[in-house]
Amino acid sequence: MAKGLLIDSKGLLNFLKSAVKEQESFYGLVFTKMVAKYAAEFEAKKICENGAASIENIDQCTDYIIANNGKYSDGFAAIPYGIAKAEKLLQGGIGSGARTTAKEAMKRLAEKIGTASLYGKTTSTIEAWKKHLDFATMTHTKVEELTVSGDENSALAKVEECHFSDACKQMAQEGIHTVGGKTECVIGKIDSIMVEVVTHCTHDYELIEFNPPRCTFRMLKIQ
């Protein structure tokens, strides 16, 4: 873990679990069960054991990850991987429907827990992004060391250390890609959604360099 970066693994897992349950309203219970299965398998592989066989739901999955935090501290990365794999298998490949569903689920969750209202009003991409990063730092849910620069309509992130990188590497290995068939970036996906929540302007991201845990991506406001 990067020096000075303190991550509340349990808090982050609870947030990700809630995001999964929000998506369940679209896909049904089968989606949540699939996420739990694939995430638990990811975790089991990382800690070199076969504990995933007994996992039947998302609560058991997150409990399993938390229990093994001492063996693999980045276990929260299993959830985004599980989400992406479940989406791919349910739709035969991650398409616009899956991406839209994930985005809407994150938006509803941000509204429910009230995080967006804490940031204040802004339409600036860089300002909204910095507000989100400040909040994530304060709540210990920030999982990456990065620098961001930009303006009203776009911003560039240079990531030095990312604790979602194992999920991204596994997705790339399995051919789980973005709508356009490009390599997925968990941080780019999540942060662009959160910036959209704050600005009320549509955002997306493009991955410029994929070299986890050190990557570069740009966030763009869609005019």
Side-chain angles (χ1 to χ4, degrees):
M1 189 172 293
K3 183 179 180 181
L5 187 61
L6 178 63
I7 301 174
D8 178 4
S9 298
K10 187 174 182 179
L12 182 56
L13 276 168
N14 284 333
F15 175 80
L16 292 169
K17 178 171 67 175
S18 297
V20 172
K21 290 184 175 180
E22 285 292 334
Q23 283 184 264
E24 183 183 298
S25 62
F26 177 84
Y27 289 112
L29 184 59
V30 63
F31 172 76
T32 307
K33 288 184 175 180
M34 289 173 71
V35 173
K37 177 179 184 295
Y38 300 134
E41 289 174 350
F42 177 97
E43 174 76 8
K45 183 177 180 180
K46 289 296 179 183
I47 62 176
C48 301
E49 70 170 44
N50 193 32
S54 62
I55 303 300
E56 298 180 353
N57 57 60
I58 193 66
D59 293 313
Q60 291 177 348
C61 177
T62 52
D63 287 345
Y64 175 61
I65 292 171
I66 291 170
N68 290 292
N69 190 59
K71 298 178 182 178
Y72 178 51
S73 60
D74 291 349
F76 44 76
I79 303 298
Y81 163 78
I83 291 172
K85 185 165 184 175
E87 288 174 340
K88 179 181 181 180
L89 295 177
L90 283 172
Q91 296 205 358
I94 293 182
S96 59
R99 181 110 184 198
T100 300
T101 301
K103 179 177 285 190
E104 290 306 312
M106 289 288 287
K107 283 183 179 180
R108 289 197 303 270
L109 181 56
E111 290 169 358
K112 282 183 178 181
I113 63 180
T115 53
S117 62
L118 298 175
Y119 298 154
K121 294 182 179 180
T122 181
T123 59
S124 167
T125 298
I126 187 63
E127 184 179 347
W129 200 354
K130 287 181 176 179
K131 286 176 179 290
H132 167 62
L133 292 173
D134 287 344
F135 181 77
T137 300
M138 181 181 68
T139 56
H140 303 299
T141 54
K142 182 169 174 280
V143 301
E144 77 284 7
E145 292 285 8
L146 78 170
T147 57
V148 295
S149 59
D151 54 30
E152 175 77 17
N153 298 312
S154 68
L156 182 73
K158 293 186 177 181
V159 184
E160 295 299 325
E161 188 72 22
C162 178
H163 294 274
F164 276 141
S165 61
D166 285 345
C168 293
K169 287 187 286 187
Q170 190 63 34
M171 287 189 286
Q173 183 177 326
E174 295 182 25
I176 301 173
H177 300 309
T178 65
V179 177
K182 297 181 180 180
T183 303
E184 186 72 273
C185 169
V186 175
I187 290 296
K189 182 178 181 180
I190 293 176
D191 282 15
S192 62
I193 292 172
M194 296 309 296
V195 168
E196 184 166 322
V197 168
V198 177
T199 61
H200 299 286
C201 300
T202 303
H203 280 76
D204 206 344
Y205 77 93
E206 57 179 8
L207 188 59
I208 297 172
E209 179 183 5
F210 182 70
N211 184 32
R214 297 171 179 83
C215 300
T216 303
F217 67 92
R218 185 181 302 279
M219 190 183 299
L220 304 165
K221 184 184 293 182
I222 308 301
Q223 304 293 335

